[in-house]
Amino acid sequence: MTALTWAVRLIIFSFLLLFALRNTQPAMLRFILDYAWEAPLVIILLAFFCGGAILGALSLVGVIYRQRREIARLKRQAAKSALPPTPEPPPLA
């Protein structure tokens, strides 16, 4: 199974490396206020991919924080309402 995992990783890496090597021509992005950015196409794609990943992770922060607070509240509630342990019956002789 480990060999299969490494083979898949190698195939994905090779594909991404070939993609990067084939897209090195310069591209220009024009922003507002006459700001322009010229860089190789693969760098621009990587920058926007990373930006999207960061925005996606940031969008989950509130949900995760809310869920953790809810879990902590439920644990406190469960600890309060837990029944006291019942004593063990004496062993039969």
Side-chain angles (χ1 to χ4, degrees), residues 37-79:
W37 182 38
E38 184 173 351
L41 182 60
V42 71
I43 300 297
I44 293 172
L45 290 172
L46 180 64
F48 277 91
F49 174 79
C50 290
I54 289 170
L55 286 175
L58 285 176
S59 71
L60 293 175
V61 169
V63 173
I64 291 171
Y65 181 70
R66 198 173 319 118
Q67 285 178 346
R68 287 188 182 191
R69 278 191 333 205
E70 179 72 13
I71 290 169
R73 184 185 66 77
L74 290 172
K75 282 183 179 179
R76 284 192 306 270
Q77 184 180 4

